[in-house]
Amino acid sequence: VGLVVEMSVNFLPLLHNPIQPFTPTPVIVRLDEPLFFTYHHLTEEDKQILAYQDLYLSGEKKDELTTWWLQYIEENVDNYLSIKGYDHHCVPYNYLDSPPSSFPRLLQNMSIVHAMLYNISIQMRDNSQKTETYQDLILPLKNNVYQLVDYLCYSLKLIIWNHFHQHKIYVNIKQSDEQFVATVTPLIKSLAPFLQAIDFQKLKDMINDLEYINEMRRLDETFFDGKINSTQQQQQGGGVSDIVPITGLISSRLHRVENELKTVEEHWRGRAG
């Protein structure tokens, strides 16, 4: 049974184990395309977002979503490993005190993880190679997460737009997230006289959150979608970023599993049997 997410104040889904065969837990988002520019009539959904804007201004909604996607990715990566034949019961919780249930099974688990990481390395070297791991795991997980990320971005933009609109400073909410940030960043100082310092800072933090998400999305596109080539990366700064994209989180989960298996293999090598 799919998991339907109605776009309301409590828009984050409850996690459950995905179904077999592997399909990442579906996230179905309903969000009507806004047909407005600087002036528009608020929809009922817009009004609901604005009624609970304190949850966004405080960062609570952002933190809720971040916590969700970290858990969502971990659960779905682990489920995909199971589909590929990975035995999660092979390594006990206290694996330094208790040996794996089966050494051959431990080595099989390592082989499965290595194959997936190899697929990712191929994908990173050549974006035209759409590997099984990319098509069956990374792409669907990334798309599902970004559906809710997109809704968060829309909510942040709406709240920022509304603050400007209340003081007769008109910005275009229909712009892309990147264009919107570029527009409101130099204008934000104009709201300072109308707001308390703490509220002004919250608005600035929301703009920073949008900027963070824009960079996260760009990194995802750079490393796996092939939409940004090396020349464009250099033009955009090209330095090492502290931001971890969704694909990086998926890869990181696999590397953590690999490291745990290596530790178990090295610790119990020669002691088995």
Side-chain angles (χ1 to χ4, degrees):
V1 179
L3 190 63
V4 178
V5 182
E6 290 294 334
M7 290 293 91
S8 63
V9 174
N10 297 314
F11 63 83
L12 298 184
L14 297 175
L15 297 171
H16 62 78
N17 293 326
I19 58 176
Q20 304 275 347
F22 177 76
T23 302
T25 309
V27 178
I28 303 174
V29 175
R30 179 183 61 79
L31 178 62
D32 297 331
E33 179 70 14
L35 300 177
F36 48 76
F37 289 86
T38 55
Y39 294 95
H40 71 280
H41 296 291
L42 294 174
T43 66
E44 289 305 312
E45 197 143 37
D46 292 337
K47 293 175 183 177
Q48 190 176 27
I49 292 170
L50 293 176
Y52 290 90
Q53 63 181 301
D54 286 347
L55 296 177
Y56 295 90
L57 286 163
S58 67
E60 183 176 335
K61 278 298 178 184
K62 177 197 67 176
D63 293 341
E64 184 183 4
L65 180 57
T66 302
T67 300
W68 170 78
W69 82 48
L70 291 174
Q71 185 176 354
Y72 180 80
I73 288 169
E74 180 173 328
E75 289 191 357
N76 281 277
V77 168
D78 288 355
N79 185 72
Y80 185 76
L81 283 167
S82 296
I83 299 301
K84 305 304 288 185
Y86 188 98
D87 183 359
H88 290 281
H89 302 292
C90 176
V91 176
Y93 177 76
N94 55 336
Y95 55 77
L96 294 180
D97 297 320
S98 301
S101 62
S102 167
F103 225 78
R105 203 170 297 162
L106 173 71
L107 297 178
Q108 180 184 6
N109 281 354
M110 293 179 71
S111 177
I112 291 169
V113 175
H114 288 159
M116 292 175 63
L117 289 172
Y118 179 69
N119 270 346
I120 292 176
S121 68
I122 292 175
Q123 188 73 45
M124 292 182 71
R125 289 197 302 268
D126 183 359
N127 283 317
S128 66
Q129 298 290 327
K130 302 304 181 187
T131 64
E132 180 183 47
T133 301
Y134 176 81
Q135 295 282 21
D136 296 344
L137 176 66
I138 294 173
L139 188 60
L141 281 185
K142 188 172 65 172
N143 288 343
N144 285 352
V145 170
Y146 273 112
Q147 287 187 76
L148 291 183
V149 171
D150 289 343
Y151 184 78
L152 175 67
C153 288
Y154 173 79
S155 302
L156 297 180
K157 287 169 65 177
L158 178 67
I159 293 166
I160 294 167
W161 171 89
N162 190 56
H163 274 79
F164 279 107
H165 184 79
Q166 288 176 343
H167 299 288
K168 303 188 185 305
I169 303 170
Y170 302 111
V171 295
N172 184 357
I173 197 174
K174 185 78 173 187
Q175 291 177 308
S176 69
D177 295 346
E178 289 186 358
Q179 292 172 329
F180 185 82
V181 168
T183 297
V184 300
T185 297
L187 293 176
I188 189 67
K189 292 181 180 179
S190 61
L191 291 181
F194 306 107
L195 301 172
Q196 294 183 3
I198 188 171
D199 295 326
F200 179 69
Q201 185 59 48
K202 287 178 180 178
L203 273 184
K204 290 176 65 177
D205 289 342
M206 290 176 69
I207 295 173
N208 290 336
D209 289 340
L210 283 172
E211 194 168 21
Y212 180 100
I213 292 171
N214 290 341
E215 177 63 9
M216 184 177 76
R217 194 191 309 274
R218 187 191 72 82
L219 289 174
D220 267 317
E221 293 172 345
T222 301
F223 294 124
F224 289 96
D225 291 343
K227 294 180 181 178
I228 303 179
N229 59 37
S230 59
T231 301
Q232 288 175 308
Q233 290 181 48
Q234 293 172 4
Q235 291 173 348
Q236 296 175 9
V240 177
S241 174
D242 293 331
I243 299 171
V244 181
I246 300 305
T247 43
L249 293 172
I250 296 170
S251 177
S252 176
R253 175 58 184 167
L254 290 171
H255 279 293
R256 290 199 304 274
V257 173
E258 178 193 36
N259 290 335
E260 180 180 279
L261 293 174
K262 285 181 177 179
T263 299
V264 174
E265 193 271 337
E266 292 171 0
H267 182 71
W268 289 102
R269 186 193 302 129
R271 306 185 193 186

